[in-house]
Amino acid sequence: RLVFASSGAIYGEQPRQPVREDAPVHPLTPYAVSKVASEQYVLAIGALWGLETVILRIFNAYGPGQPLPPSHASVIPRFLKQATSGGSLVLFGDGRQTRDYVYIDDVVTALVAAGQRAGISGSIVNVGSGDEVSVLELVEAIEGVLGESVHRLHSGDEKAGVSRLVADITLAREVLGYVPRVSICEGLRLTMARDPRFARR
């Protein structure tokens, strides 16, 4: 069986939230386009070669060890690095755009289930927390974990991405027995505790 890690980014801007797997995809970045194309490759190869395939559309995964490149870093490691080193958190747009942040341990649970569950070949399944968190709420959660306020800077110079995106995880519960266990606050605490890059200075 081939389990492919796709992305919730393929949905793009959607009028209905939470987003279900039958929503039309609307990729808005080269990354998202590559995931759409890869899904089609996986399905085609599965049909041609008789392989079992499962596609997981993983939303905003985070956790210790997540790459932190100099540019275009994911929001959670970028914010944690800035917050724990005394820097400013730069918020693009008004900060009200929402995402579904899912902790890596929950993602791994879904990946294992996708590899082991019987009778799910050909499934396309969302993997997220099912919770919609705005950027402003994320900052507040970081402040709660730190126990102090952080300095915020608002910038309109860069696009903030889609306005809303949260996963409908009904199908994941049904076919994978998937139940996310880690809240955003607990996930932030675990990330800080398990990743030395975010040690307080």
Side-chain angles (χ1 to χ4, degrees):
R1 176 179 294 175
L2 172 62
V3 178
F4 176 66
S6 185
S7 172
I10 70 170
Y11 290 114
E13 197 74 57
Q14 294 286 333
R16 180 176 296 178
Q17 301 288 339
V19 179
R20 297 185 354 170
E21 290 84 353
D22 57 2
V25 298
H26 186 214
L28 298 175
T29 64
Y31 169 78
V33 171
S34 75
K35 288 295 189 179
V36 173
S38 297
E39 286 190 6
Q40 295 303 308
Y41 276 116
V42 168
L43 294 173
I45 289 170
L48 285 171
W49 294 351
L51 293 176
E52 290 192 358
T53 60
V54 179
I55 293 170
L56 300 185
R57 291 176 175 168
I58 301 168
F59 281 61
N60 291 69
Y62 70 98
Q66 186 172 9
L68 188 55
S71 62
H72 304 292
S74 296
V75 65
I76 286 182
R78 186 177 78 239
F79 277 6
L80 287 179
K81 183 64 174 177
Q82 291 301 105
T84 55
S85 61
S88 298
L89 275 59
V90 180
L91 284 65
F92 298 109
D94 60 9
R96 291 186 173 86
Q97 61 273 24
T98 64
R99 297 293 182 271
D100 185 327
Y101 301 103
V102 56
Y103 189 67
I104 186 62
D105 288 7
D106 286 330
V107 175
V108 171
T109 297
L111 286 165
V112 171
Q116 296 179 341
R117 286 267 171 157
I120 62 171
S121 180
S123 297
I124 299 175
V125 186
N126 288 338
V127 174
S129 67
D131 293 326
E132 187 173 15
V133 178
S134 72
V135 174
L136 290 172
E137 289 169 335
L138 175 61
V139 174
E140 291 170 359
I142 290 172
E143 290 177 327
V145 172
L146 291 174
E148 61 185 47
S149 297
V150 299
H151 186 253
R152 312 177 189 191
L153 292 176
H154 288 266
S155 173
D157 294 338
E158 186 174 327
K159 291 183 179 179
V162 298
S163 59
R164 296 180 66 193
L165 190 62
V166 59
D168 184 321
I169 56 174
T170 303
L171 184 61
R173 294 179 189 274
E174 293 174 354
V175 303
L176 300 179
Y178 170 75
V179 179
R181 305 289 184 186
V182 183
S183 69
I184 185 64
C185 290
E186 179 63 15
L188 292 170
R189 279 192 289 269
L190 289 171
T191 301
M192 289 183 61
R194 296 174 177 176
D195 195 323
R197 297 175 300 174
F198 308 132
R200 300 293 296 276
R201 295 181 182 177

